[in-house]
Amino acid sequence: MTDRIAPADHPIEHALAARWSPRSYDERPIPTAALAQCLEAARWAASCVNDQPWNYLVTRKAEEPEAHAKLLACLSPNNQGWAVRAPVLMLSVARTDFASSGKPNRHAGHDVGQASANLAAQAAALGLQAHQMAGFDAAAARAAFAIPEGYEPMAAITLGYPGPAAALPEALAARETAPRTRKPIAEFTHLGAWGNGGSPA
Ligand SMILES: Cc1cc2nc3c(=O)[nH]c(=O)nc-3n(C[C@H](O)[C@H](O)[C@H](O)COP(=O)(O)O)c2cc1C
């Protein structure tokens, strides 16, 4: 299955509904222009004082095979099992101090997440899909790529065209086709007071 439109309760932009996190990837490379568009979308994310604390280590299996293998080796074995097929593997990295003042940026992780959300939505708009992962060894990634102090690896991210669920081992294939679910709006919206759960519509 390569199409997993979110069953949204209220209409949302197509790219947001079409974004999902596949584990089955088609191995064909993605156009360079499409990769640039995804990074461009990340570039235009909002950030605290426009500090833009995001960094992306980008490894393309075809163009940077050694770096790709090095980054893949940092993933948890479970993630490695499926992520190996994606043509692009990235690492998002946050600069943890403001570039302007050198003071700690408490929102760095938030802002890198926003940039990655933009990247993922742009990918979905192009028929690609990104899959973000916490399952990687941040210390190993730091060592493998000489990421300096002051920068924090946040998430590994695959990018590529989604492939058929049937290409995955049985357990993963079942997850790939399971219904997409979310908490209702009222469970995370506090209308006017903390604990006053409710949906505005
Ligand atoms: C920060 C972050 C870490 C994640 N870590 C993993 C991971 O290590 N392995 C994995 O298979 N999926 C991982 N995911 C994917 C989530 O499981 C997925 O986004 C969630 O189940 C919702 O599914 P959807 O993205 O298809 O809507 C991660 C997602 C995010 C945003």
Side-chain angles (χ1 to χ4, degrees):
M1 178 177 292
T2 55
D3 201 6
R4 306 248 297 145
I5 305 294
D9 290 344
H10 304 274
I12 58 175
E13 289 300 321
H14 180 74
L16 300 176
R19 184 217 60 80
W20 64 289
S21 304
R23 292 186 177 84
S24 179
Y25 276 100
D26 189 326
E27 284 188 286
R28 85 189 125 120
I30 67 172
T32 304
L35 177 57
Q37 281 177 278
C38 291
L39 292 166
E40 184 72 17
R43 178 178 174 228
W44 287 100
S47 63
C48 188
V49 300
N50 200 18
D51 196 77
Q52 306 161 59
W54 46 78
N55 294 263
Y56 291 91
L57 176 71
V58 178
T59 72
R60 296 166 293 181
K61 212 194 273 193
E63 281 90 347
E64 293 91 23
E66 281 174 21
H68 179 271
K70 253 193 333 188
L71 186 52
L72 188 71
C74 297
L75 303 189
S76 68
N78 280 349
N79 284 336
Q80 273 182 35
W82 56 264
V84 63
R85 286 176 61 88
V88 177
L89 180 61
M90 301 184 272
L91 184 70
S92 66
V93 179
R95 182 186 167 121
T96 54
D97 291 343
F98 285 109
S100 45
S101 65
K103 292 188 176 148
N105 181 358
R106 192 171 83 77
H107 294 95
H110 173 92
D111 292 349
V112 175
Q114 295 214 96
S116 293
N118 273 16
L119 184 154
Q122 182 64 47
L126 296 170
L128 297 161
Q129 293 294 349
H131 191 143
Q132 302 172 60
M133 288 163 272
F136 72 98
D137 184 333
R142 182 185 294 286
F145 292 98
I147 296 170
E149 287 305 312
Y151 292 83
E152 193 60 41
M154 301 300 292
I157 308 171
T158 48
L159 183 67
Y161 294 102
L168 292 169
E170 213 172 299
L172 287 186
R175 287 170 75 179
E176 198 85 340
T177 52
R180 300 191 63 204
T181 60
R182 287 299 191 271
K183 295 190 278 191
I185 290 176
E187 254 187 62
F188 62 83
T189 302
H190 306 253
L191 277 176
W194 189 258
N196 184 33
S199 177

